Amino acid sequence: MSEVKVPELAESITEGTISEWLKSVGDQVEKGENIVELETDKVNVEVISEVAGVLTEIKAEEGDTVEVGSVIAVVSDGEAQPASNDAKPEKQEEPSKEDAGKPEATETKEETASSNERIQATPSARRLAREKGIDLSKVKTQAGDVIRPEDVESAAKPQPQAKPAEKSQPAQAKPAEKSQPAQAKSNDNPSKPVVREKLSRRRQTIAKKLLEVSNNTAMLTTFNEVDMTNVMELRKRKKEKFQEDHNGTRLGFMSFFTKAAVAALKKYPDVNAEIDGTDLVLKQFYDIGIAVSTEEGLVVPIVKDCDKKNFAEIEQDIVDLAVKAKDKKLGLDDMMGGSFTITNGGVFGSLMSTPIINGTQAAILGMHSIVTRPIAIDKDRMENRPMMYIALSYDHRIIDGKQAVGFLKTIKDLIENPEDLLLES
């Protein structure tokens, strides 16, 4: 027999939540096969079986919090496979011989789990269905073949009206009643309806980390505006050639801002630092976090060694990390070790914001929407120019206002003069 334990995740991660069992008790598993998905503070991690055999015991249910090193399942070794395989049909025969409650409940659970595995649904929809006790086989999709969270929400709404049916089926009444208390509380005042949902582990972690930053830093934000005319013209002239030369990689704005940030960090090294107790740790590497929005919240994967990469390499890394984030394929290495962060609220239409510092870093750069506005070229001329507000939130314990303003001014100057940015690179 082999015990399946929660693996070492990362230095700062000591526990995770069972997100989804990919195998059920009695299932055959291969060595190295994923059997369970853990949701951690940063990413989802799939745990493998170290041996081939049969999953004989599950010690933690979906939704349970488990610590690193704890045993969550047992898999038989190779010698135990025949016995486990023989035992499986015997369990299936028992319900047909006896009408005992326990075999029926076990069979129903296994049938529901296997049927749910065959149904196409997003991970967030599966999680919501588990929380609300919804059978995915009874959920109708509003668009396409994949069940989404909104489909589960729609399926959950008619449930309180199913009481007459429950009376005619006493055996199914108890599970239905167990899922009602939270809804009953939320509907005490019918004229003020609410929906009560448990926060996902990721959302709880985001809330905790943001509150820690707010409580443990002296955060201020300074603003500037950037004339995007020259970058946009350069991008327009070079984008097709750039794409041809770099295997389809597109030239976006993020590589310009990432390179500008690296140059500014070299000029103002305190912005690339963090406090560790009574020490100031000055980082001499340039691993830039790029904030990416996903269904479960904001994640910040890291583009490593941006000072050593060209524009195309940075653009491709950003695309790859964004795809991995949306597909929930980010690894812990993708999330660890950032020295500075860039977030682009402009993709959602934000005109101005005060971004919150990421973790123990000293600062974060916020990009925003590009808006055409009348700008004074000199005292006699006005022109309509594509303008972007940029923001730098910083820890005033490390960075003085003069440094923060100088840093943001450096970003502005390099973006407005992209030829200088190329020379800096």
Side-chain angles (χ1 to χ4, degrees), residues 251-270:
L251 179 60
F253 292 122
M254 288 304 300
S255 54
F256 286 93
F257 278 91
T258 301
K259 278 296 189 181
V262 170
L265 289 170
K266 289 180 178 180
K267 188 174 182 180
Y268 297 94
D270 284 354

Side-chain angles (χ1 to χ4, degrees), residues 51-312:
V51 299
V54 175
L55 182 61
T56 55
E57 186 178 0
I58 289 178
K59 293 178 175 288
E61 299 299 324
E62 292 178 354
D64 289 352
T65 297
V66 290
E67 295 183 353
V68 169
S70 62
V71 179
I72 55 175
V74 176
V75 177
S76 67
D77 55 24
E79 296 178 358
Q81 286 182 40
S84 298
N85 288 337
D86 291 340
K88 201 170 181 182
E90 290 176 8
K91 289 183 180 179
Q92 293 174 351
E93 290 173 4
E94 287 177 6
S96 63
K97 295 178 181 178
E98 301 177 10
D99 291 332
K102 286 186 179 179
E104 283 185 13
T106 303
E107 184 180 11
T108 302
K109 184 176 180 182
E110 289 177 357
E111 286 176 358
T112 302
S114 61
S115 64
N116 280 348
E117 286 177 5
R118 291 192 293 270
I119 296 169
Q120 289 187 322
T122 65
S124 56
R126 291 183 184 277
R127 187 173 297 108
L128 186 60
R130 289 195 298 271
E131 292 172 359
K132 292 183 174 293
I134 302 297
D135 185 350
L136 287 177
S137 65
K138 299 178 181 178
V139 176
K140 296 181 180 180
T141 60
Q142 299 175 9
D145 298 326
V146 179
I147 296 174
R148 303 186 182 281
E150 54 266 28
D151 301 323
V152 179
E153 290 285 5
S154 298
K157 289 179 182 178
Q159 284 185 344
Q161 301 173 2
K163 289 184 179 178
E166 290 171 7
K167 291 181 181 178
S168 63
Q169 297 178 2
Q172 297 180 2
K174 287 185 179 179
E177 287 170 3
K178 288 180 181 179
S179 64
Q180 296 302 317
Q183 292 184 0
K185 284 184 179 180
S186 65
N187 292 328
D188 285 344
N189 187 347
S191 66
K192 303 291 183 182
V194 299
V195 175
R196 188 183 298 274
E197 296 180 356
K198 184 178 180 180
L199 287 173
S200 68
R201 181 180 184 86
R202 188 75 40 79
R203 181 54 63 182
Q204 291 180 51
T205 301
I206 290 172
K208 179 182 176 182
K209 295 296 185 184
L210 293 179
L211 190 59
E212 285 179 358
V213 170
S214 178
N215 291 336
N216 298 328
T217 63
M219 195 176 78
L220 292 178
T221 305
T222 186
F223 301 91
N224 213 317
E225 61 179 355
V226 179
D227 185 344
M228 298 291 290
T229 301
N230 291 336
V231 164
M232 292 176 74
E233 289 181 352
L234 175 61
R235 188 165 165 263
K236 185 177 180 180
R237 292 197 313 269
K238 300 293 185 180
K239 65 179 182 179
E240 290 185 5
K241 184 69 164 58
F242 185 92
Q243 200 163 344
E244 290 176 6
D245 292 345
H246 299 289
N247 299 318
T249 301
R250 298 175 63 183
L251 179 60
F253 292 122
M254 288 304 300
S255 54
F256 286 93
F257 278 91
T258 301
K259 278 296 189 181
V262 170
L265 289 170
K266 289 180 178 180
K267 188 174 182 180
Y268 297 94
D270 284 354
V271 184
N272 203 38
E274 67 176 65
I275 290 177
D276 182 14
T278 57
D279 294 335
L280 180 65
V281 181
L282 294 164
K283 301 171 186 176
Q284 297 183 333
F285 57 90
Y286 303 92
D287 295 350
I288 309 299
I290 306 295
V292 177
S293 178
T294 70
E295 287 182 356
E296 296 183 341
L298 202 68
V299 294
V300 187
I302 311 299
V303 180
K304 306 288 178 63
D305 299 320
C306 290
D307 56 322
K308 301 173 184 177
K309 291 178 177 174
N310 59 33
F311 280 67

Side-chain angles (χ1 to χ4, degrees), residues 320-332:
D320 293 343
L321 289 169
V323 170
K324 289 173 72 174
K326 288 180 170 57
D327 292 342
K328 296 186 179 181
K329 298 297 184 183
L330 285 172
L332 290 171

